[in-house]
Amino acid sequence: MLAFAVLGDSIAYGQGASRPEDTVAARLTADLTGRGVATDLAVFAVPGARSQALASQVERAMAWRPDLALVIIGANDLTHFVPPQLAAAQLQHAVRTLRSAGVEVVVAPAPDLSVLPWVPAQLRAAVRTGSMLLRRAQTDAALATGAHVADIGVGSAAEFATNPVLLSADGFHPSSAGYARIATALAPTVHAAASVALGRNR
């Protein structure tokens, strides 16, 4: 049995999804199970969380003893203007703690918030740059601690910008369709990390 923990913010939690089974965590768990990997899911993510909140989430997750952890974080660091290097350092500390316990970790860095409809056109370039700087710092921090990085990429961001069906009614969180798109993008990296975790535990 693969113990799969999901940490992070409202996207990791699944806010905006119409049904519990539409969240990223539930979709990835169903996908792993469908591939023959019996999976036990626990979600420690908290809507509104910034990277500083990962420490308490990791503490709770460690008591549960996961084999694999997915961390989705960064959107709220961007909206609260947390310096990229500070947010990345907080992420790195969380990942290092998990890795020191033998947990395989997948990090999904900050999304590009410039694609969201509530961002004024004159601010889109600045928001895009801020998102890129945080994403790059998070990626470097995650890789330095031995985590897998699953960036949903420019193509996915462009899709969210042009397809309103992918966003929920609040214009910020993904809809069920949006979570399906995110889960599809994350799945290959999650599968790879799960294989490593299962191989180590045999």
Side-chain angles (χ1 to χ4, degrees):
M1 176 73 73
L2 179 76
F4 179 34
V6 177
L7 302 85
D9 55 22
S10 55
I11 297 176
Y13 182 83
Q15 189 170 346
S18 300
R19 305 176 302 168
E21 56 265 39
D22 292 341
T23 66
V24 166
R27 287 180 181 278
L28 290 172
T29 299
D31 190 49
L32 287 166
T33 302
R35 290 171 177 264
V37 179
T39 304
D40 188 16
L41 170 67
V43 177
F44 299 94
V46 177
R50 290 175 251 169
S51 294
Q52 66 179 6
L54 288 175
S56 61
Q57 293 183 25
V58 167
E59 184 177 357
R60 290 189 291 119
M62 292 281 281
W64 187 67
R65 300 176 64 85
D67 302 305
L68 172 65
L70 169 65
V71 182
I72 303 176
I73 199 76
N76 296 303
D77 293 285
L78 289 169
T79 59
H80 288 80
F81 303 103
V82 177
Q85 293 305 322
L86 174 58
Q90 292 165 338
L91 170 64
Q92 187 174 60
H93 176 74
V95 174
R96 184 180 291 116
T97 302
L98 290 165
R99 294 288 297 139
S100 68
V103 182
E104 286 299 314
V105 181
V106 175
V107 172
D112 179 4
L113 295 188
S114 71
V115 305
L116 297 176
W118 52 264
V119 177
Q122 64 270 27
L123 295 180
R124 290 194 186 280
V127 173
R128 185 178 305 113
T129 297
S131 300
M132 179 191 68
L133 290 173
L134 177 55
R135 192 162 59 248
R136 185 178 299 160
Q138 289 176 311
T139 298
D140 290 345
L143 292 175
T145 50
H148 308 256
V149 175
D151 195 333
I152 66 171
V154 175
S156 294
E159 191 174 352
F160 274 84
T162 57
N163 188 354
V165 172
L166 299 182
L167 292 174
S168 63
D170 65 11
F172 185 85
H173 297 97
S175 62
S176 290
Y179 281 118
R181 180 66 187 86
I182 293 170
T184 297
L186 298 180
T189 307
V190 171
H191 296 160
S195 294
V196 175
L198 290 169
R200 187 180 58 247
N201 292 337
R202 284 179 180 150

